[in-house]
Amino acid sequence: MTYTYEVLCEKLLAKDYKLTPQRETILRAFTEHGDSHLSAEDVYHLVKSKSPEIGLATVYRTVDLFAELGILQKMDFGDGRSRYEFTKQEEHHHHHLICINCHKVQEFDDDLLETLEAMIARKNSFKIVDHDLKFYGICLSCQEQT
Amino acid sequence: MTYTYEVLCEKLLAKDYKLTPQRETILRAFTEHGDSHLSAEDVYHLVKSKSPEIGLATVYRTVDLFAELGILQKMDFGDGRSRYEFTKQEEHHHHHLICINCHKVQEFDDDLLETLEAMIARKNSFKIVDHDLKFYGICLSCQEQT
DNA sequence: TTTCATGCAAAGGTTTTGCATACGC
DNA sequence: GCGTATGCAAAACCTTTGCATGAAA
């Protein structure tokens, strides 16, 4: 899923936020690197080349805003910094396989977790609104290297 | 699962680490608060009352060491600090239900995830060694408060 | 022209590190 | 005694915040 300029514009104005060049630039950084899970620092360096005057604080404020608007999803891979990617629009969430050797992160879809979630919710009287599933292990290319 | 003094001693000496009063005290903090998910700061304050001379850096170094030895498991609930609990020895991992209202963390066991894990591993040619599943939602008492 | 966004620098919170001293083995 | 562990303080790191300026509506 890639968010366009128009979608951003619409979402911003709906909440009386302004459409600034910085916000547009940061959105583009994500459309051009849709497959990575960018940290604020990553975004900062990506946009710095095109807009050298941009500040790191603006990047932090902007990715926070985008997350609030539902454009980005904040995630944590345990490396001490938050990472962001476009919110997936499909019915089923996707999750992450994190290689403990090369630290590459790949995605996978799951259908089964929905069933699991319903059972957990019932057994624990817990009203689930979101979930986060990560598998740690060795990716295929690291397996082949040995 | 609770680790005893003897187990700690054995695990430490096996790797030429020393058994110090600080390490013993920190272990006891976990045995006496086995149900909580303690942050380094939590541990620091717990042990400070009995051993006022202990340093925060020692707590950090010790929980890291215990995690390396497999005694503690480091976990992240997205609140900006790492938390630790005794490594569960059972065959099935347990996971967490995190209330987004009162931030209480409760545990649940799962049997289904094992099946899911096997399927994911096969479909993605990924050798899974660990997993981490979190559900975010509203706990029972918060549901009843409304 | 009003209000929100920005950039900069400083502060905040968690975790790590350097170093002299103390202590387990 | 040798080598690791400790305590303290400082630094490192990511992130947030205060404030004056600048720009969008």
Side-chain angles (χ1 to χ4, degrees):
Chain A
M1 175 65 191
T2 295
Y3 285 85
T4 58
Y5 175 87
E6 287 75 23
V7 173
L8 175 65
C9 190
E10 181 191 328
K11 280 184 182 271
L12 285 175
L13 299 185
K15 294 202 176 178
D16 280 331
Y17 293 119
K18 292 173 182 169
L19 184 64
T20 65
Q22 289 90 337
R23 288 175 178 169
E24 202 185 328
T25 306
I26 289 170
L27 181 79
R28 191 156 42 236
F30 279 94
T31 57
E32 288 171 1
H33 299 84
D35 45 342
S36 357
H37 309 93
L38 303 175
S39 68
E41 195 88 20
D42 291 339
V43 175
Y44 180 61
H45 286 113
L46 284 173
V47 301
K48 195 83 182 174
S49 52
K50 286 198 175 179
S51 316
E53 76 293 347
I54 206 165
L56 181 57
T58 299
V59 174
Y60 274 100
R61 284 186 281 233
T62 303
V63 291
D64 259 22
L65 175 65
F66 285 3
E68 181 202 319
L69 294 176
I71 295 174
L72 292 179
Q73 191 160 353
K74 188 175 185 172
M75 49 194 64
D76 181 358
F77 295 143
D79 62 345
R81 74 210 65 192
S82 294
R83 297 184 170 275
Y84 298 83
E85 65 172 42
F86 279 132
T87 302
K88 304 291 189 208
Q89 305 275 294
E90 300 95 53
E91 187 179 336
H92 301 299
H93 288 224
H94 74 291
H95 296 90
H96 295 101
L97 301 173
I98 302 165
C99 182
I100 56 179
N101 188 241
C102 69
H103 303 102
K104 196 175 58 192
V105 177
Q106 60 185 100
E107 304 180 351
F108 71 92
D109 292 316
D110 74 87
D111 303 317
L112 286 167
L113 195 62
E114 312 279 316
T115 318
L116 181 57
E117 181 172 308
M119 291 188 57
I120 301 289
R122 186 167 46 75
K123 271 172 54 177
N124 295 275
S125 306
F126 196 86
K127 188 173 175 182
I128 295 174
V129 299
D130 197 10
H131 55 220
D132 177 18
L133 175 59
K134 284 175 282 210
F135 285 112
Y136 298 90
I138 313 288
C139 71
L140 184 57
S141 59
C142 284
Q143 286 175 53
E144 285 170 345
Q145 270 175 34
T146 31
Chain B
M1 174 66 191
T2 294
Y3 285 85
T4 59
Y5 175 87
E6 286 76 24
V7 173
L8 175 65
C9 191
E10 182 190 326
K11 282 187 181 266
L12 284 175
L13 298 184
K15 293 202 175 180
D16 280 332
Y17 292 119
K18 293 174 180 169
L19 184 65
T20 65
Q22 290 89 338
R23 288 175 177 169
E24 201 185 328
T25 305
I26 290 170
L27 181 78
R28 189 155 42 237
F30 279 95
T31 57
E32 290 172 0
H33 298 83
D35 45 344
S36 359
H37 308 94
L38 303 175
S39 68
E41 195 87 18
D42 291 339
V43 175
Y44 180 60
H45 286 113
L46 284 172
V47 301
K48 195 82 181 175
S49 53
K50 285 199 175 176
S51 316
E53 77 292 346
I54 207 164
L56 180 56
T58 300
V59 175
Y60 273 101
R61 284 186 281 234
T62 303
V63 291
D64 258 22
L65 176 66
F66 285 3
E68 180 203 319
L69 294 175
I71 295 174
L72 292 180
Q73 190 158 353
K74 188 176 185 172
M75 50 195 65
D76 182 358
F77 294 142
D79 62 345
R81 76 210 66 187
S82 294
R83 298 184 170 275
Y84 299 83
E85 65 172 43
F86 280 132
T87 303
K88 305 290 187 203
Q89 306 275 295
E90 301 96 51
E91 187 178 335
H92 301 299
H93 289 224
H94 73 289
H95 296 91
H96 297 101
L97 301 174
I98 303 165
C99 182
I100 56 179
N101 186 240
C102 69
H103 302 102
K104 195 176 57 191
V105 177
Q106 60 186 99
E107 303 181 352
F108 71 92
D109 293 315
D110 75 87
D111 303 317
L112 287 168
L113 195 61
E114 312 281 314
T115 319
L116 181 58
E117 179 172 310
M119 290 188 57
I120 300 288
R122 186 167 46 75
K123 272 174 51 177
N124 296 273
S125 305
F126 196 87
K127 188 173 176 183
I128 295 174
V129 301
D130 198 11
H131 55 219
D132 177 17
L133 175 59
K134 285 175 283 213
F135 286 111
Y136 298 90
I138 313 287
C139 71
L140 183 58
S141 59
C142 283
Q143 287 174 54
E144 285 170 345
Q145 269 174 36
T146 29

